[in-house]
């Protein structure tokens, strides 16, 4: 199996879950404050809709919550290693900064994981049977 066929590749690169080719998000907008949450309507390659129904990404909040917990633990471990005595205000500032800094990545990866759970890979969109 080629690396491009793996869901891991597709999730990390926020590619279309069905063909792993089209982009879920417009290129170059990850760290654009007003645009990071914008999604392409459908896959430019196979036509898969990225928001099949309203409220589709409600459940992605739980994935996002998992990431936030991981960030929390990561910040805590890092601070404990760097600073002799970690104080609460220090912890809170470090958390707020890292959560905000990682927000676009967290947001996109959560949605990417969520849609990949429900939509299966059907091979490259160049295949005739994978056009919609
Ligand atoms: Zn596609």
């Amino acid at each position: 199996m080629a690396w491009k066929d793996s869901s891991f590749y597709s999730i990390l690169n926020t590619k279309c879950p069905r063909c792993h080719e089209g982009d879920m998000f417009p290129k170059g907008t990850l760290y654009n404050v007003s645009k990071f949450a914008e999604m392409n309507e459908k896959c430019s390659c196979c036509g898969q809709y990225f928001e099949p129904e309203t409220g589709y990404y409600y459940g992605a909040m739980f994935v996002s919550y998992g990431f936030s917990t991981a960030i929390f633990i990561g910040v805590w471990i890092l601070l404990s290693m760097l600073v002799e005595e970690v104080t609460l205000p220090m912890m809170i500032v470090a958390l707020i900064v890292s959560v905000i800094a990682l927000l676009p990545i967290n947001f996109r990866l959560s949605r990417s994981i969520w849609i990949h759970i429900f939509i299966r890979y059907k091979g490259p969109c160049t295949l005739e049977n994978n056009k919609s």
Side-chain angles (χ1 to χ4, degrees), residues 15-22 42-48 50 125 130:
K15 293 288 184 189
C16 165
R18 199 163 98 173
C19 69
H20 292 183
E21 278 171 56
K42 56 182 182 175
C43 176
S44 58
C45 200
C46 73
Q48 168 68 46
F50 291 139
C125 65
N130 200 11

Side-chain angles (χ1 to χ4, degrees), residues 41-110:
E41 189 198 357
K42 56 182 182 175
C43 176
S44 58
C45 200
C46 73
Q48 168 68 46
Y49 281 95
F50 291 139
E51 189 155 6
E53 52 195 89
T54 352
Y56 184 75
Y57 289 105
Y58 181 77
M61 278 195 333
F62 297 104
V63 182
S64 173
Y65 178 75
F67 276 127
S68 300
T69 308
I71 293 171
F72 187 95
I73 295 169
V75 165
W76 183 59
I77 292 174
L78 207 69
L79 262 187
S80 313
M81 288 187 331
L82 295 175
V83 187
E84 211 160 295
E85 200 180 341
V86 181
T87 61
L88 189 63
M90 198 192 281
M91 187 70 196
I92 291 172
V93 170
L95 267 181
I96 292 173
V97 170
S98 24
V99 164
I100 291 176
L102 296 172
L103 183 71
I105 294 174
N106 187 344
F107 177 87
R108 291 191 172 191
L109 276 184
S110 304

